Amino acid sequence: MSGASAALRAWILMFVVGVSGAAWGQVSPFTAVEFEEDGTLMVTLDGERVALVLLGGVPTAELIAGAKREFGDDWQKRIGEDLLEVFEALEVELDSEDVIDVVIFRDGEFVEVMDAPMTRDNRQLVWEHNRVVREREQLGLAGDVLGSLVEIIRDRHAYATLRGVDLDAIVAKERERLGDRPSVDALRLAGQRIVSALGDGHARVDGWDDSFPRGRLPFLLVAAGEGVVAIENDRSALVDPEHPYVESIDGVPLERWIDAASVYVAAGSPQLVRERSLRLIRYVNFVRGELGLVASSDVSLKLRSATGGTAEVERRVTPVRGIYGTWPLTTSRMMEGDIGYFRLPSMSPESRGLPSELWRRQLRDELALVTRGAAGLIIDVRGNGGGLRDPIFAIMPSLMERGSEPVVVNAARARIDGFDNRSDPEGFLGNRYLYPAAWSGWSEAERASIAAFRADFRPEWSTPDDGFSDWHYMVVSPGGDEVVRFEGPVVVLMDDTCFSATDIFVGALGELSSVTLVGTPSAGGSARSRGYEIGPIEVRVASMASYQPNGRLYDGNGVSPDVIVEKRPGDVVLGGGDAQLDRAVELLRESGG
């Protein structure tokens, strides 16, 4: 092949991969390809497992030897999944790329099959067969996956005993459900059900949702007002503005759908369970399976109005998963009436690798800009699913009085190994800005604040000393003259999608007397999750027990706002209004802001 031809073939290969998702050469006449130790190549042809003798006129032994020579350790994968590339590498010209002549050995005789179709669908089945084989080999090496998962939970998980679940009973039920030869996909689902029962909002089995059947809801489900509303995937409108609330899907009450989905959701706060379950129902054919319903390409909704009227809607399911995104879509600005509006949609820097101090400086500058001349301030963290804790140190000092006492905003204990010194003065949670009382980095004022906090702190759940570190604390100080301060009233807008570092953010600012939290309770989650590989699966579980200043755990509770304001149905779509923001403005005006 000339250099120009090779370049053309490479370009065509990239084009085909980009357009169709399948590369040239990825066809097969077989639905499974297996290599025996004695050199026999077993294939599944027309549903029958037989020995391959000749393929395209090439003897099996020559095909294998050539593939080993050209492709090294990948030779088996290439024969099974990239057949045309193998023939090209061996400089064997085929009459067609769509059919091939095959000779097999069956029932003691050689049988010739002319023009066996070579299709991408067959090749996909070969790939799937190989994946299952590889995963079962991994599974064999892993031994008892669920048994290992239980050991990790008991030895490493901070919330292993939080909810008092009978872990042995749960695992026994899962073993019975899995049977003797479970697939890796089934194991991932079982693992997700197990870790979900423990109440850890961060716990998950990686890839547990990769094997969902096709079919996604053509709309989003969002809690609003007195129920759950259905909105278009692009948030352009409610599915039925006159009847916004979802009563049933496929004739099954919505609460039953939520219950079925919640098995795979962390048993945390009620708002977390509901919000995540609604998101999971997007995978409609998966949840149908959990409900014992048949998969379908259609979905029916029964909707109702606020006064009880009902309407029926029929839609086709879609292959594309709807994206909730960050809501609302707003930016920082000065609002009418001299009210500064600071929008914080994420607790992570916009560009990865941005140094934390530069990021903090950008946040401080933006806050100073929207508070210049402002009589009141709104900080909006709705839809913020978490990230890093740096925004707390960037923003909170600006809202504290100059010379005020440092504030303890988070207390936690780390789950540690038996070989660790639980009283290590440097601690175990520095990447969360949490340090023991004996840490050398505290100022005298911070030490005094920690001592006063400890005297009154009453945790709702007592972590055992065995396996846990000493208490760690996160403290925010007011800073000095370099801090640009805002001394007026502040409202923080929050909702049930505020999670992880955003939980800590609203909990921290809620400690200030000038701040009023408005909206709905946050999701609740603070874990510093760690990953553990168990053969073919990987699980993540909490490595610390994390508390609000009032002694309540973040996980299972979330932060409660001072003023509850529910979203109206129209508030979750473009141009539909914002009751929570309206209430924040009212509160600031009432306070003189």
Side-chain angles (χ1 to χ4, degrees):
M1 180 181 290
S2 68
S5 297
L8 179 61
R9 171 56 63 83
W11 184 89
I12 292 173
L13 177 60
M14 289 187 292
F15 177 81
V16 172
V17 169
V19 173
S20 67
W24 174 87
Q26 294 181 340
V27 293
S28 177
F30 314 117
T31 56
V33 177
E34 301 168 277
F35 301 89
E36 303 289 320
E37 290 184 4
D38 62 2
T40 303
L41 200 167
M42 302 298 295
V43 298
T44 300
L45 180 67
D46 293 332
E48 186 178 13
R49 189 173 184 270
V50 293
L52 180 65
V53 179
L54 291 173
L55 183 62
V58 179
T60 298
E62 291 184 16
L63 186 70
I64 292 174
K68 287 181 177 179
R69 182 179 64 253
E70 296 294 331
F71 300 107
D73 293 340
D74 287 339
W75 68 273
Q76 292 183 340
K77 174 179 172 62
R78 292 290 192 171
I79 291 175
E81 302 174 20
D82 306 298
L83 196 52
L84 294 184
E85 290 189 18
V86 173
F87 280 111
E88 182 180 65
L90 299 181
E91 298 183 348
V92 174
E93 293 188 6
L94 299 175
D95 294 333
S96 171
E97 295 181 358
D98 299 319
V99 296
I100 194 169
D101 295 337
V102 179
V103 176
I104 59 176
F105 188 73
R106 180 178 62 195
D107 297 332
E109 60 182 11
F110 296 100
V111 179
E112 186 174 13
V113 180
M114 304 295 291
D115 293 336
M118 293 202 294
T119 68
R120 287 180 178 173
D121 286 345
N122 282 348
R123 182 265 179 191
Q124 190 64 22
L125 291 173
V126 172
W127 179 88
E128 180 63 25
H129 173 83
N130 291 343
R131 182 183 70 88
V132 171
V133 169
R134 286 193 298 270
E135 289 181 342
R136 282 184 174 161
E137 289 174 351
Q138 288 180 302
L139 185 57
L141 294 174
D144 182 1
V145 170
L146 295 190
S148 298
L149 175 58
V150 169
E151 289 181 10
I152 287 171
I153 290 172
R154 286 180 171 150
D155 295 342
R156 306 286 185 176
H157 192 207
Y159 296 133
T161 62
L162 171 63
R163 299 186 61 83
V165 300
D166 188 339
L167 193 57
D168 291 330
I170 292 175
V171 172
K173 182 178 179 180
E174 292 296 342
R175 289 188 195 279
E176 183 178 355
R177 179 172 179 170
L178 288 171
D180 295 332
R181 298 191 67 186
S183 68
V184 173
D185 288 336
L187 274 171
R188 290 191 179 111
L189 290 173
Q192 181 67 20
R193 289 190 292 267
I194 291 170
V195 299
S196 293
L198 302 172
D200 170 9
H202 285 82
R204 72 175 188 276
V205 173
D206 287 350
W208 74 273
D209 53 356
D210 288 347
S211 61
F212 285 171
R214 294 182 180 181
R216 309 289 183 258
L217 284 181
F219 45 78
L220 303 176
L221 301 175
V222 182
E226 61 185 63
V228 173
V229 299
I231 65 176
E232 302 295 348
N233 275 338
D234 60 1
R235 289 189 182 263
S236 59
L238 293 157
V239 170
D240 183 342
E242 299 299 320
H243 305 85
Y245 298 107
V246 179
E247 190 166 294
S248 66
I249 303 175
D250 292 344
V252 177
L254 179 61
E255 288 305 317
R256 281 191 58 198
W257 284 82
I258 293 173
D259 289 343
S262 68
V263 175
Y264 296 92
V265 172
S269 69
Q271 60 272 17
L272 178 146
V273 173
R274 190 171 185 81
E275 196 267 341
R276 289 190 181 179
S277 296
L278 290 173
R279 291 189 177 218
L280 185 56
I281 296 172
R282 281 178 294 178
Y283 304 96
V284 59
N285 279 332
F286 171 73
V287 184
R288 278 170 169 160
E290 295 294 304
L291 286 165
L293 304 177
V294 177
S296 172
S297 59
D298 299 299
V299 62
S300 63
L301 280 181
K302 184 177 181 180
L303 302 170
R304 64 174 175 81
S305 66
T307 57
T310 61
E312 300 282 346
V313 174
E314 296 281 341
R315 290 282 186 93
R316 300 283 291 179
V317 301
T318 173
V320 180
R321 176 176 65 101
I323 303 299
Y324 281 82
T326 301
W327 185 263
L329 298 177
T330 54
T331 57
S332 298
R333 63 192 186 277
M334 180 64 74
M335 298 177 62
E336 185 179 349
D338 294 332
I339 294 176
Y341 176 84
F342 181 82
R343 177 67 170 135
L344 185 63
S346 172
M347 297 290 280
S348 297
E350 291 183 358
S351 61
R352 296 190 178 190
L354 191 67
S356 61
E357 185 50 45
L358 177 58
W359 179 35
R360 291 187 189 186
R361 189 179 308 128
Q362 289 178 345
L363 292 173
R364 288 193 293 265
D365 290 346
E366 184 179 337
L367 181 66
L369 184 64
V370 299
T371 55
R372 187 174 301 152
L377 172 65
I378 296 171
I379 299 176
D380 191 348
V381 291
R382 292 174 296 175
N384 188 331
L388 306 177
R389 297 182 173 203
D390 294 72
I392 299 171
F393 293 98
I395 294 169
M396 187 169 172
S398 296
L399 309 180
M400 301 171 70
E401 294 181 8
R402 183 180 284 101
S404 61
E405 298 298 322
V407 179
V408 178
V409 299
N410 183 205
R413 298 184 77 184
R415 188 74 192 263
I416 59 174
D417 293 330
F419 300 102
D420 290 325
N421 173 15
R422 63 187 296 268
S423 299
D424 186 339
E426 295 306 306
F428 303 91
L429 303 173
N431 62 347
R432 297 297 188 272
Y433 301 107
L434 287 154
Y435 301 96
W439 183 49
S440 59
W442 298 124
S443 68
E444 289 304 315
E446 289 168 338
R447 289 185 188 279
S449 292
I450 291 172
F453 175 86
R454 293 174 68 178
D456 296 328
F457 182 62
R458 299 293 182 270
E460 68 168 341
W461 178 60
S462 297
T463 51
D465 288 341
D466 184 26
F468 279 86
S469 71
D470 285 346
W471 284 98
H472 288 52
Y473 306 94
M474 179 176 171
V475 182
V476 180
S477 295
D481 294 337
E482 77 284 357
V483 177
V484 178
R485 302 183 191 278
F486 177 74
E487 299 178 349
V490 181
V491 169
V492 175
L493 289 176
M494 54 189 286
D495 63 12
D496 58 359
T497 61
C498 295
F499 181 66
S500 194
T502 315
D503 277 306
I504 309 298
F505 181 91
V506 295
L509 267 61
E511 290 297 293
L512 301 180
S513 60
S514 62
V515 172
T516 302
L517 304 180
V518 174
T520 54
S522 67
S526 179
R528 197 186 67 143
S529 65
R530 286 184 170 179
Y532 302 92
E533 289 188 7
I534 312 172
I537 76 172
E538 183 171 352
V539 64
R540 301 193 66 83
V541 295
S543 67
M544 72 174 180
S546 180
Y547 296 79
Q548 302 175 47
N550 60 16
R552 302 182 78 200
L553 284 166
Y554 279 99
D555 283 272
N557 295 308
V559 178
S560 298
D562 301 306
V563 180
I564 296 286
V565 181
E566 298 285 351
K567 297 173 185 174
R568 300 168 303 197
D571 293 347
V572 297
V573 295
L574 294 168
D578 192 335
Q580 294 172 333
L581 179 60
D582 292 344
R583 183 63 177 132
V585 172
E586 288 178 5
L587 289 170
L588 289 175
R589 288 173 177 167
E590 290 169 2
S591 65

